[in-house]
């Protein structure tokens, strides 16, 4: 178990036609180059940007800025327009959400959410984890102790607050809350865990409950973030809980189905599920990954297992689907997997366990050891197009601690977070610069 945790532990990734393909809708009022929430506009790790470098020079792309007024923590940034938003903490009593003005990284505002949750974790990594969700003039942030707030993106002023533990009987896992809130229309979807409101829908304007989904038997919250899909003719929210993957009806919160095969045997359910065309890939540390297909059976929704293997990507860095292939990492290496069959096309040590995203024909990897790589996605084999290590990495407070924040590509910049530092790299191709 210790070896598994050393390599794969807690992380913290608009159109109706896209929703019909199993993708969530793009939040309103956003530029295509924005990265407004966890894993990008559609929560699948994909950016629509173009004009980026196809290969990096030996020393890596140009460092455009380094921001240090961030506090500590594992929160991945959200980048919208001229601002970067993330969570951080100072000690165990002050967890906060902050905004940096770009390009200089000057702090525009900082608002306290609460204290750091579950400070007596084992292994011990108490820190801010979630990525805030930007929706027009408002931002939604969940602190690790269950403090959920809606704030003005311009000023950080709080519109409303709730607490998932106190207000909804929430039960997080060992490493506290790590979920990034999902905004879908007028609803905010989050996962308190527990028997009262295992999954919850709130009115995003008031914070009042729309529905509470009490999953039979109750279940603790895990560390993944919910996604919105349409499958079997039904809009639903899909989330990985500590005991398994579930789908609930978007309108009512009614439990539609449950799939437990990919739940982590170490209760380290970390990668966010990935959906496409009625199929969902999920994975858990120490267990493996698998694909299911959802189908309508009369008035109910049922799942059909497509494939499962303990050798498929299950590290904390998630997976992305490019064309017909899935890319992600396991405890030791990177893999390319055929989406439909689960066949592993290649496996390469690369950076070892890593988080990743995709933009303009390239995969961006942030290794748990701190290295960053650019990779061309192809089933023909591993094709690295550049690698570097950000300068002056932080000292680790625990021998098992790693660089867990996901990479972000927005407005021609690559953002890499590692505790108190956010490095900003210019990844625009010279021909694309004005």
């Amino acid at each position: 178990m210790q070896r598994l945790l050393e390599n794969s532990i807690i992380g913290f990734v608009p159109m109706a036609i896209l929703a019909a393909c199993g993708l969530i809708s793009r939040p309103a009022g956003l530029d295509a180059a924005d990265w407004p929430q966890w894993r990008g506009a559609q929560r699948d790790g994909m950016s629509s940007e173009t004009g980026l470098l196809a290969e990096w020079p030996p020393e890596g792309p140009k460092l455009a800025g380094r921001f240090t007024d961030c506090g500590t923590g594992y929160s991945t940034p959200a980048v919208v327009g001229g601002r970067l938003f993330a969570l951080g903490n100072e000690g165990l009593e002050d967890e906060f959400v902050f905004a940096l003005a770009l390009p200089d990284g000057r702090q525009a505002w900082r608002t306290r959410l609460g204290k750091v949750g579950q400070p007596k974790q084992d292994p011990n990594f108490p820190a801010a984890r979630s990525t805030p969700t930007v929706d027009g003039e408002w931002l939604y942030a969940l602190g690790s102790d269950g403090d959920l707030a809606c704030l003005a993106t311009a000023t950080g002023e709080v519109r409303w607050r709730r607490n998932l533990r106190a207000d909804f009987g929430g039960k997080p896992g060992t490493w506290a809350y790590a979920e990034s809130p999902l905004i879908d229309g007028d609803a905010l979807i989050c996962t308190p865990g527990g028997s009262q409101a295992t999954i919850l829908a709130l009115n995003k304007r008031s914070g009042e409950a729309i529905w509470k989904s009490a999953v039979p038997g109750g279940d603790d919250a895990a560390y993944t973030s919910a996604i919105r899909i349409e499958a079997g003719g039904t809009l639903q929210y899909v989330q990985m809980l500590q005991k398994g993957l579930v789908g609930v009806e978007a309108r009512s919160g009614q439990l539609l189905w449950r799939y437990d095969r990919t739940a982590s045997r170490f209760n380290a359910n970390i990668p966010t599920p990935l959906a496409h065309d009625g199929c969902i890939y999920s994975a858990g540390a120490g267990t493996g990954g698998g694909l299911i297909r959802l189908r309508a059976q009369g008035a109910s929704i049922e799942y059909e297992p497509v494939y499962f293997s303990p050798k498929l990507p299950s590290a904390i860095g998630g997976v992305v689907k490019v064309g017909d292939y899935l890319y992600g990492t396991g405890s030791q290496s990177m893999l390319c997997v055929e989406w439909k069959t689960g066949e592993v096309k290649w496996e390469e040590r690369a950076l070892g366990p890593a988080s990743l995203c995709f933009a303009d024909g390239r995969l961006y990897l942030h290794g748990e050891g701190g290295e960053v790589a650019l990779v061309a996605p192809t089933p023909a084999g591993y094709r690295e197009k550049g690698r570097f290590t950000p300068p002056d990495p932080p000292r680790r407070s625990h021998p098992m601690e790693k660089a867990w924040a996901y990479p972000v590509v927005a407005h021609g910049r690559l953002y890499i977070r590692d505790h108190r530092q956010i490095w900003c790299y210019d990844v625009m191709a010279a021909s694309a610069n004005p």
Side-chain angles (χ1 to χ4, degrees):
M1 177 175 181
Q2 180 172 335
R3 181 178 178 184
L4 180 279
L5 291 171
E6 287 177 346
N7 289 291
S8 182
I9 201 69
I10 185 66
F12 308 84
V13 289
M15 299 172 290
I17 191 171
L18 293 176
C21 293
L23 302 173
I24 74 164
S25 58
R26 181 188 298 277
L30 294 172
D31 186 288
D34 287 335
W35 193 273
Q37 61 177 330
W38 173 243
R39 303 201 73 210
Q42 298 174 24
R43 292 204 162 193
D44 57 2
M46 306 289 282
S47 167
S48 60
E49 280 206 70
T50 59
L52 306 180
L53 290 168
E55 190 164 352
W56 292 340
E59 67 277 11
K62 179 183 177 181
L63 181 62
R66 183 165 58 178
F67 315 141
T68 57
D69 201 6
C70 309
T72 191
Y74 312 117
S75 171
T76 292
V79 179
V80 176
R83 287 196 170 177
L84 179 149
F85 306 91
L87 271 64
N89 65 281
E90 296 288 353
L92 297 177
E93 297 300 318
D94 184 15
E95 184 168 342
F96 51 85
V97 58
F98 64 89
L100 302 182
L102 302 174
D104 60 3
R106 171 184 53 83
Q107 189 173 98
W109 54 260
R110 168 173 156 174
T111 301
R112 184 177 184 270
L113 290 173
K115 63 181 181 179
V116 174
Q118 309 283 91
K120 297 182 180 180
Q121 305 168 8
D122 184 21
N124 194 254
F125 313 114
R129 304 177 182 282
S130 303
T131 295
T133 300
V134 179
D135 182 47
E137 298 178 357
W138 302 100
L139 172 149
Y140 301 86
L142 175 63
S144 60
D145 201 39
D147 296 292
L148 176 64
C150 170
L151 307 92
T153 55
T155 64
E157 180 182 357
V158 176
R159 186 186 197 182
W160 56 258
R161 288 181 182 267
R162 303 302 299 265
N163 182 276
L164 300 190
R165 292 174 183 264
D167 297 339
F168 304 105
K171 291 186 64 179
T174 298
W175 296 285
Y177 287 107
E179 180 183 20
S180 300
L182 169 65
I183 298 297
D184 182 27
D186 291 332
L188 180 153
I189 310 303
C190 60
T191 313
S195 59
Q196 298 178 29
T198 320
I199 301 174
L200 174 68
L202 300 176
N203 183 301
K204 72 177 183 181
R205 294 179 176 85
S206 66
E208 296 301 315
I210 299 172
W211 51 253
K212 302 175 184 179
S213 180
V215 173
D219 204 341
D220 291 357
Y223 316 105
T224 73
S225 295
I227 60 174
R228 174 190 184 272
I229 73 167
E230 182 177 352
T234 302
L235 288 173
Q236 52 191 284
Y237 303 121
V238 174
Q239 175 65 301
M240 175 69 89
L241 303 172
Q242 287 288 44
K243 297 177 184 178
L245 187 71
V246 299
V248 301
E249 186 183 43
R251 180 179 55 85
S252 66
Q254 177 186 354
L255 180 67
L256 298 172
W257 54 270
R258 179 173 195 133
Y259 171 67
D260 297 339
R261 181 73 184 274
T262 54
S264 168
R265 62 191 180 100
F266 299 125
N267 289 324
N269 293 306
I270 299 166
T272 290
L274 182 68
H276 176 73
D277 197 21
C279 294
I280 305 168
Y281 180 87
S282 61
T287 297
L291 191 76
I292 59 172
R293 179 179 293 109
L294 300 182
R295 289 181 174 174
Q297 295 291 334
S300 64
I301 303 293
E302 296 184 0
Y303 71 82
E304 172 191 357
V306 180
Y307 56 79
F308 169 86
S309 172
K311 297 181 179 180
L312 294 179
S314 60
I316 70 170
V319 293
V320 296
K321 180 181 180 293
V322 182
D324 296 328
Y325 299 92
L326 190 73
Y327 298 87
T329 65
S331 62
Q332 299 294 329
S333 58
M334 183 177 180
L335 300 95
C336 170
V337 179
E338 188 172 45
W339 171 260
K340 291 183 178 180
T341 67
E343 178 186 356
V344 176
K345 307 303 291 186
W346 53 258
E347 183 174 0
E348 174 65 36
R349 171 63 186 174
L351 302 185
S355 52
L356 69 166
C357 68
F358 173 89
D360 198 17
R362 295 290 183 264
L363 296 167
Y364 291 76
L365 277 63
H366 183 204
E368 290 186 0
E371 286 186 293
V372 181
L374 186 69
V375 175
T378 168
Y382 181 75
R383 303 286 187 267
E384 190 169 287
K385 300 298 180 178
R387 183 188 294 207
F388 71 95
T389 301
D392 304 319
R395 293 183 179 181
R396 303 294 177 200
S397 60
H398 191 288
M400 291 169 62
E401 187 179 47
K402 307 293 181 183
W404 286 315
Y406 281 41
V408 167
V409 177
H411 298 278
R413 298 292 188 265
L414 166 65
Y415 296 91
I416 300 294
R417 169 85 182 269
D418 199 347
H419 272 315
R420 292 186 175 275
Q421 299 192 72
I422 298 177
W423 295 274
C424 172
Y425 291 91
D426 184 353
V427 292
M428 288 291 291
S431 59
N433 284 311

